[in-house]
Amino acid sequence: IAGSVAVGKSTTARVLQRVLTMLPTKPKVDLVTTDGFLYPNKVLNEKGIMNRKGFPESYDAKKLILFLAALKSGAQSISVPVYSHLEYDVLPDDQQQIIEQPDIIIVEGINVLQVNSERPRKGHSVFVSDFFDYSIYVHASEKNLLEWYTNRFESLRSTAFQNPASFFH
């Protein structure tokens, strides 16, 4: 599931996950967000791209591709990095999500359908979307996106940002 910031990707993914688990066959449906594949803040600072967090170059695309390849290859158990919006960073390795052979996996993120057409190619390029059986793009008007983003930010200012553990506190 892809789309712009504040368009409702996470909400769509959670609703779809819930609906799919209610099918008569009761499939095991896991959800992974690509936020966990962002480089940790320390790495972003070292690379001088903290101000580009969320842009394609701020993701560990190789790690995401390796995760998807392991999943498609039938790996029994795969660890997935987890992102904390409270800490505004990828959590330590001991707090990873474990994926154990789901019937369906939903991968949600701003970058899941992007291709890097500006990078020089050496042979065949592999893209995240090459691993998907179905793709959903969530779209909204720019006016709605601005309103939703602003509302979400204002809500966070009065809730999560008040938490002393919050990055933005």
Side-chain angles (χ1 to χ4, degrees):
I1 299 177
S4 73
V5 172
V7 76
K9 297 178 303 298
S10 297
T11 300
T12 301
R14 286 191 302 271
V15 168
L16 183 59
Q17 180 184 27
R18 178 73 176 128
V19 168
L20 289 170
T21 62
M22 294 169 31
L23 289 170
T25 58
K26 303 288 185 209
K28 181 179 182 216
V29 183
D30 283 334
L31 171 60
V32 171
T33 69
T34 60
D35 291 346
F37 293 93
L38 281 162
Y39 287 114
N41 289 349
K42 180 181 178 196
V43 174
L44 293 174
N45 282 320
E46 288 168 358
K47 291 178 172 236
I49 59 170
M50 186 64 170
N51 64 334
R52 302 285 297 164
K53 189 171 188 172
F55 286 82
E57 63 272 19
S58 66
Y59 288 87
D60 189 342
K62 182 177 180 181
K63 190 178 213 176
L64 178 55
I65 296 278
L66 290 172
F67 158 71
L68 293 169
L71 186 69
K72 278 286 195 177
S73 298
Q76 295 292 313
S77 181
I78 308 167
S79 296
V80 181
V82 174
Y83 185 83
S84 167
H85 289 278
L86 182 68
E87 296 180 30
Y88 195 63
D89 204 355
V90 178
L91 295 175
D93 288 345
D94 64 343
Q95 297 181 49
Q96 294 200 344
Q97 177 183 1
I98 305 299
I99 303 294
E100 294 178 331
Q101 295 194 314
D103 299 306
I104 300 169
I105 188 151
I106 300 169
V107 180
E108 174 265 308
I110 196 168
N111 59 337
V112 295
L113 299 179
Q114 291 177 337
V115 296
N116 190 348
S117 59
E118 295 178 15
R119 188 175 50 173
R121 296 196 179 167
K122 301 174 198 163
H124 178 70
S125 295
V126 177
F127 302 109
V128 171
S129 59
D130 291 342
F131 294 91
F132 300 153
D133 295 316
Y134 299 96
S135 298
I136 297 172
Y137 182 82
V138 182
H139 176 76
S141 70
E142 188 174 338
K143 177 183 176 268
N144 285 341
L145 290 173
L146 183 59
E147 181 183 337
W148 296 338
Y149 180 84
T150 303
N151 289 343
R152 180 172 71 181
F153 185 81
E154 291 299 326
S155 174
L156 289 170
R157 280 183 61 198
S158 61
T159 57
F161 294 178
Q162 301 302 312
N163 182 335
S166 170
F167 175 85
F168 291 104
H169 179 67

